[in-house]
Amino acid sequence: MKKHVFTYVTAALILGITGSAYAAEPTLEEQQAELSALKTRLAIVEKQLKTQEGKQKKTEETIKKSKDNELKFYGDARIRSIDSGDGYSFEQRVRLNMEKQINKDTFVRVRGIVMNENEMGTTGTDDLNNKIDNAYIQFNNLYGDKNSSLKIGRFGHNFGTTGYWSSAGSLGMYDGLEVTTGKVVSISAGFGDWGGARAPATVTTKVSGTKLVTSSTDISRTTLNKLEKNVFLKLGYRPSKATRLQGWHIRETNADESPVDYEVTGLGFDSKIGKNLSIAGDYSRNAAIEGDPEGKFFTLSYGNANYNKAHSYEARLYYADVDKGNVPGTLNKSINIPCNDVKGPGLSLHYVVTEGVLAEFLTGFNMEKKSTGEDADNYYRFQVSTRF
């Protein structure tokens, strides 16, 4: 706005100077009248510009609101190869997401897993391979509190800061509700059932005499998440922009019906200690069974492999020390090296080949099986993922 006013004033001055070279010096009254007319014209122009700016802002807000409320579809696909001592296997996963902003404080999200680590060349026939792992509605800004939210449906959880115990982005399958509030110290509490989280199992059907017989590699249901109906509490605190702390507790409420009981308390932190360097650590203990199995997990990360930035990269060092019976399952975590009943180091390398395509190599080496003290086979994993 100042630029426009300056232009008009400059033009007026130039015209005044030019006119004075060819005409008589204007009187004081004439100069005051001309200045007053100029101010009036500038006021009109300024008002017109403000009106135009207001219309432009409303148009931009309308366009943004329209885009935010659109039904959004996106997904990801991954092919991976794993060798944990018994040879390489190749598996594939495809996930599809749908999001809808109902209003400024309410949205719905659904994620379907079309293929869930299916062996290459196979198609899943039940909910182990094809499932809806996220289907929830979230209400924000409860009672005018912008830091509050209520989530109801099926979703995932972040217990801890490293992702070794559970990560919301890895697999949902938690049926329940969660209430969150708090600015300086965030508090989340809720209840639900995690019993639906289980690994794919090979299911075969064959003819035996005159009958169809179905068999599974999971007859003992060992892939089932051993933590089912439960209540939980989370506390989060940021002492600085670079550091985050979390304390949490989850207690199983139907322990008599599950193969292993769980009442786990955990503490975690992550902190950015340099421009491209960060560290994170978790500790948790399951007090529900004999021996109080503990879990300790640490990561040191350098770089940032961003899907949207071609040739970005990241390297991570891990150290796991996790007793048998500390974690309820292996699918809910985002750490893709062994971190159940193991002790030892790990490494992962991440590289964005081109925008939207991520290549990763992960390994766990020189590990031991904690329950027996025996050496564990080295773990190798290579995977390529893409988002669309």
Side-chain angles (χ1 to χ4, degrees):
M1 184 61 64
K2 292 181 179 180
K3 182 178 179 181
H4 291 294
V5 174
F6 179 79
T7 302
Y8 284 116
V9 172
T10 303
L13 291 173
I14 292 174
L15 290 173
I17 294 171
T18 306
S20 64
Y22 300 99
E25 184 76 18
T27 64
L28 180 60
E29 290 77 8
E30 290 173 335
Q31 290 178 348
Q32 288 178 341
E34 186 176 347
L35 182 59
S36 178
L38 179 61
K39 288 180 179 180
T40 301
R41 291 197 297 271
L42 287 174
I44 294 172
V45 172
E46 187 172 342
K47 185 178 180 180
Q48 290 174 339
L49 288 173
K50 284 184 177 180
T51 301
Q52 187 64 33
E53 287 177 353
K55 290 181 179 179
Q56 181 67 24
K57 186 176 180 180
K58 287 183 179 179
T59 301
E60 291 174 353
E61 289 177 350
T62 301
I63 294 173
K64 183 179 183 300
K65 187 179 294 186
S66 176
K67 289 183 177 180
D68 289 342
N69 291 338
E70 289 178 354
L71 190 61
K72 299 177 182 177
F73 292 95
Y74 59 95
D76 63 83
R78 182 178 73 187
I79 294 178
R80 72 182 188 183
S81 176
I82 297 175
D83 180 10
S84 53
D86 53 359
Y88 284 96
S89 62
F90 292 86
E91 301 168 335
Q92 54 193 339
R93 182 186 73 183
V94 178
R95 302 185 297 189
L96 302 176
N97 294 264
M98 182 278 288
E99 288 186 9
K100 172 66 176 177
Q101 190 79 31
I102 306 301
N103 56 49
K104 67 176 183 178
D105 296 322
T106 307
F107 74 90
V108 175
R109 183 191 176 208
V110 177
R111 183 170 73 179
I113 304 179
V114 181
M115 292 190 289
N116 186 30
E117 316 306 359
N118 292 43
E119 185 179 353
M120 296 286 284
T122 65
T123 301
T125 58
D126 52 38
D127 66 349
L128 295 180
N129 297 93
N130 313 98
K131 64 184 75 180
I132 302 295
D133 79 320
N134 277 266
Y136 64 88
I137 182 169
Q138 181 167 324
F139 305 92
N140 299 318
N141 197 30
L142 304 177
Y143 303 105
D145 178 6
K146 65 181 181 180
N147 299 301
S148 66
S149 67
L150 169 64
K151 187 184 293 186
I152 303 174
R154 171 170 286 190
F155 48 90
H157 276 291
N158 290 321
F159 285 111
T161 58
T162 64
Y164 103 91
W165 208 88
S166 76
S167 170
S170 180
L171 184 72
M173 304 304 295
Y174 186 94
D175 299 317
L177 68 82
E178 178 179 24
V179 180
T180 301
T181 189
K183 183 178 181 180
V184 178
V185 177
S186 65
I187 303 173
S188 297
F191 62 88
D193 190 331
W194 226 342
R198 47 182 171 167
T202 302
V203 178
T204 59
T205 302
K206 63 180 180 179
V207 178
S208 177
T210 60
K211 296 181 180 180
L212 288 176
V213 178
T214 300
S215 61
S216 171
T217 57
D218 189 35
I219 296 174
S220 61
R221 299 176 73 238
T222 56
T223 64
L224 190 68
N225 194 335
K226 301 175 184 67
L227 196 163
E228 298 178 356
K229 293 182 178 64
N230 61 83
V231 293
F232 68 88
L233 176 69
K234 302 179 191 177
L235 299 176
Y237 174 59
R238 282 189 176 274
S240 68
K241 289 184 178 180
T243 302
R244 176 173 65 101
L245 307 176
Q246 188 196 61
W248 54 277
H249 181 81
I250 185 168
R251 178 178 175 272
E252 193 170 28
T253 57
N254 67 328
D256 293 340
E257 301 176 21
S258 63
V260 180
D261 298 339
Y262 285 88
E263 185 173 354
V264 185
T265 302
L267 294 171
F269 77 94
D270 64 43
S271 182
K272 190 172 183 179
I273 56 178
K275 183 178 179 180
N276 296 306
L277 193 63
S278 62
I279 188 171
D282 276 318
Y283 168 81
S284 69
R285 182 172 67 94
N286 181 12
I289 59 178
E290 185 179 354
D292 297 339
E294 298 179 339
K296 297 179 280 290
F297 199 91
F298 299 93
T299 67
L300 180 65
S301 304
Y302 178 81
N304 180 25
N306 188 331
Y307 262 102
N308 300 318
K309 187 176 180 182
H311 310 306
S312 58
Y313 60 89
E314 187 170 350
R316 301 175 191 168
L317 287 174
Y318 307 96
Y319 184 77
D321 186 351
V322 184
D323 294 334
K324 183 179 181 180
N326 175 259
V327 295
T330 60
L331 293 177
N332 301 320
K333 63 187 181 66
S334 60
I335 296 296
N336 292 320
I337 66 166
C339 46
N340 181 26
D341 192 19
V342 294
K343 181 179 181 180
L347 168 71
S348 66
L349 304 173
H350 315 260
Y351 180 68
V352 180
V353 182
T354 186
E355 185 176 344
V357 179
L358 175 66
E360 299 173 280
F361 171 75
L362 306 100
T363 181
F365 54 95
N366 291 334
M367 286 185 161
E368 68 175 49
K369 193 174 181 66
K370 288 208 69 179
S371 58
T372 64
E374 298 175 353
D375 291 340
D377 292 324
N378 289 344
Y379 177 90
Y380 302 101
R381 173 170 174 162
F382 177 77
Q383 62 190 35
V384 177
S385 309
T386 183
R387 292 179 178 176
F388 52 88

